[in-house]
Amino acid sequence: MAFPPEHEIHKRRLGRNVGVAVTLGLFILLVFALTVVKVTRGEPMQAFDHSVRPEMAEPEEGQ
Amino acid sequence: MAPVDRGLFPTGRMDKVMSDIRAYEQPGEAGFGDYVQLLKPRVMSLVVFTALVGLLVAPVGVHPVIAFASILFVALGAGASGALNMWWDADIDAVMRRTKGRPVPAGKVTAGEALAVGLGLSGIAVVMLGLAANWLSAGLLAFTIFFYAVVYSMWLKRSTPQNIVIGGAAGAFPPMIGWACATGTVSIESVLMFALIFMWTPPHFWALALFMKDDYSNAGVPMLTVTHGRRSTRNHILVYTILLAPVAVGAAFTSIGGPIYLAAAVALNAWFLVGAWRIWKRHEDAAEADNYAVEKSVFRFSLYYLFLHFGAFLAEAALKPYGMGGW
């Protein structure tokens, strides 16, 4: 026996699935927006990985 | 005609399968809104407001996208701690009139789901706040969640009548987190915003406890009204309101205060003190006779009290660019 297609439980499940999908979509958009802001503001994009990289060194006084 | 056994569902099992389906049809399957209710959206609104004020009154400008994301993750962390609270307190929530409609005691969401939602969202909120703003604010958020879920919900709430006093710290952290998002530091201004909410919480909740008396005693929560009596609770409300006033007015003389805030703080604290005085001098018979009218009005006023103080901070910050806010 199948559920009637318009059963209330289907509506609730659909609402839950749509809610999760919209939330995930908004989260992706937010992470993208944060990335754009951080990259365009020139924040450091290289992390310390135990190798010498002169471009990451702080300039000394008077230079 | 005898039912046909098609192998998949032997006749005896069919009844069981049908009863399982019927059980599944009961209003037990949660909708999206039930999970949102786990996050205590009304508490979140206060968290969002105070954290936003903390962020906006800070002397360091924050990019709007980073500010939006930071406040969102602070709110998410607060919501996660609410879900953890509902997981732990499901037994007493079911007893109290005010809370028995919550998703776990109402049977819409299982306690295990509440725990999973709480832990999952806590992790997301803390890590994302660290990446979006800085790791000091993320650390403060993690501590706030820990404080609310473990120190308050699991430990203090059921063990001491001072639960509200110490547990109130959890609700006091959001403006400090907002400030830390902008500045990366903790300073006297953010400590005073913390102290304002911290000192406000006991008289606010004890006013509520005076007229929700059956709820807390039925649930066995050691509220001051139950353990020390209602006379003692009235005394405590007055003492804490007196201690609150210098904290609230003192914030006027820091970099986030100004004449508007000072005027608002003096008026609101005078009003709150009068309310606390009226609660203090009342006898229980008089309170019962008018169905706790004074206690209810002071409780309602205490909500406006906090919103208006933070609104005044915001007004000072908003007027600064025009040469009017601040000293």
Side-chain angles (χ1 to χ4, degrees), chain B residues 51 54-55 74 129 137-138 140-142 144 173-182 190:
Chain B
L55 189 145
V74 173
L129 184 63
S137 53
L140 286 171
L141 180 64
T144 306
F173 272 112
M176 189 182 259
I177 300 172
W179 180 276
C181 287
S190 65

Side-chain angles (χ1 to χ4, degrees), chain A residues 45-61:
Chain A
M45 279 169 271
Q46 296 185 66
F48 178 67
D49 66 352
H50 302 277
S51 63
V52 178
R53 277 176 292 168
E55 71 272 20
M56 286 192 73
E58 295 278 332
E60 288 180 18
E61 292 277 329

Side-chain angles (χ1 to χ4, degrees), chain B residues 2-285:
Chain B
V4 180
D5 185 351
R6 296 188 193 279
L8 279 175
F9 296 113
T11 317
R13 277 200 61 202
M14 195 62 190
D15 289 343
K16 183 182 181 309
V17 170
M18 288 309 295
S19 69
D20 286 351
I21 290 172
R22 276 192 286 273
Y24 205 49
E25 281 185 274
Q26 295 301 311
E29 180 145 338
F32 190 71
D34 296 318
Y35 292 101
V36 173
Q37 288 303 314
L38 274 184
L39 309 184
K40 298 191 179 180
R42 280 174 62 188
V43 176
M44 273 169 84
S45 65
L46 185 65
V47 168
V48 166
F49 178 64
T50 55
L52 185 66
V53 171
L55 189 145
L56 292 176
V57 301
V60 183
V62 183
H63 191 285
V65 172
I66 293 179
F68 173 78
S70 301
I71 298 301
L72 188 71
F73 294 128
V74 173
L76 197 63
S81 64
L84 291 172
N85 170 269
M86 286 202 199
W87 157 68
W88 185 259
D89 278 347
D91 55 338
I92 55 177
D93 280 352
V95 179
M96 300 208 293
R97 201 169 54 243
R98 186 172 65 87
T99 54
K100 67 181 176 189
R102 286 178 174 174
V104 179
K108 294 173 182 165
V109 176
T110 65
E113 281 180 300
L115 173 65
V117 168
L119 289 177
L121 292 185
S122 296
I124 292 171
V126 170
V127 171
M128 288 307 298
L129 184 63
L131 293 171
N134 53 60
W135 292 100
L136 174 69
S137 53
L140 286 171
L141 180 64
F143 183 71
T144 306
I145 296 169
F146 167 78
F147 201 91
Y148 187 67
V150 178
V151 177
Y152 172 68
S153 299
M154 295 185 188
W155 178 28
L156 295 172
K157 187 171 178 179
R158 301 180 193 219
S159 63
T160 166
Q162 298 299 316
N163 46 18
I164 286 304
V165 179
I166 308 162
F173 272 112
M176 189 182 259
I177 300 172
W179 180 276
C181 287
T183 64
T185 61
V186 173
S187 61
I188 182 69
E189 290 87 351
S190 65
V191 170
L192 279 171
M193 285 190 283
F194 171 93
L196 177 61
I197 303 180
F198 183 72
M199 297 303 295
W200 162 87
T201 307
H204 166 76
F205 267 102
W206 283 330
L208 174 75
L210 279 174
F211 61 86
M212 297 288 270
K213 54 180 184 175
D214 291 340
D215 259 11
Y216 290 109
S217 48
N218 288 347
V221 175
M223 271 308 233
L224 201 64
T225 45
V226 181
T227 59
H228 289 65
R230 311 176 71 75
R231 181 69 259 160
S232 174
T233 306
R234 292 175 190 277
N235 297 346
H236 274 73
I237 289 175
L238 182 63
V239 170
Y240 271 91
T241 312
I242 291 170
L243 294 174
L244 168 67
V247 172
V249 176
F253 303 103
T254 64
S255 73
I256 55 172
I260 299 170
Y261 176 83
L262 180 62
V266 168
L268 290 167
N269 281 280
W271 203 334
F272 204 11
L273 280 166
V274 169
W277 171 263
R278 289 176 64 203
I279 287 181
W280 177 75
K281 73 173 185 180
R282 261 155 85 85
H283 291 287
E284 203 53 37
D285 297 343

Side-chain angles (χ1 to χ4, degrees), chain A residues 26-38:
Chain A
L26 291 176
F27 181 68
I28 290 166
L29 279 178
L30 184 66
V31 172
F32 180 68
L34 276 172
T35 308
V36 169
V37 169
K38 293 216 173 238

